[in-house]
Amino acid sequence: MPKYLLGTTFEPGVDPTPMEEWTEAEVTAHLDYYGVLMRQLVASGELVESTILVGPDRAKLVRGDGAGAPVVTDGPFQEFKEWLAGFQVVEVADEARALEIAALISAVPGKGGVPTQQPIHVRQVMDEGPGDAAGMLDYLDSARGV
């Protein structure tokens, strides 16, 4: 069965109110929804992994040339909303089920209990990465939509 990465960024959904301005009950409802959904995905055998990442202020950017010491730069580096906040990896029968789960994640309640409709990025995990130059070129063509 194929695996999909379902990525959540800091992009707001329909209500741009930051979580810092939500009530404690609204934050609790948000977290409880995720907890129930993740338990359902574990029970169905579809959840491979679920991870929340530290904020972009604690990110590092590393560049190395293979010879000298790497250059490490503290973050953040892009607009905050573009940073990955967390992700789930699911193993499902098909893309339709991955999209269904992404929609459930997007429906997590926000301020006032209204579903956030936060955008969820859905990417299939490759079974096997390119092993030679021709495979890499094919991969790059597909990534560009060629």
Side-chain angles (χ1 to χ4, degrees), residues 30-119:
H30 182 86
L31 296 173
D32 288 350
Y33 178 95
Y34 270 121
V36 168
L37 179 57
M38 293 307 115
R39 285 191 296 278
Q40 289 171 345
L41 294 173
V42 166
S44 69
E46 296 172 305
L47 186 66
V48 174
E49 182 175 351
S50 180
T51 301
I52 299 172
L53 303 172
V54 298
D57 60 319
R58 295 183 47 200
K60 306 281 187 225
L61 183 65
V62 178
R63 295 178 193 262
D65 64 8
V71 176
V72 180
T73 309
D74 290 333
F77 311 100
Q78 303 173 20
E79 201 171 325
F80 182 71
K81 69 180 184 177
E82 297 172 354
W83 277 83
L84 190 63
F87 63 88
Q88 288 75 37
V89 175
V90 294
E91 187 170 20
V92 293
D94 53 30
E95 182 181 74
R97 178 61 179 147
L99 296 174
E100 181 181 330
I101 294 168
L104 292 170
I105 294 169
S106 180
V108 64
K111 184 137 182 76
V114 175
T116 63
Q117 298 180 49
Q118 185 175 21

Side-chain angles (χ1 to χ4, degrees), residues 2-27:
K3 292 180 185 172
Y4 290 85
L5 183 133
L6 310 176
T8 304
T9 65
F10 288 98
E11 290 176 80
V14 294
D15 182 348
T17 305
M19 190 178 279
E20 295 84 8
E21 297 177 18
W22 296 5
T23 67
E24 185 175 331
E26 290 166 338
V27 173

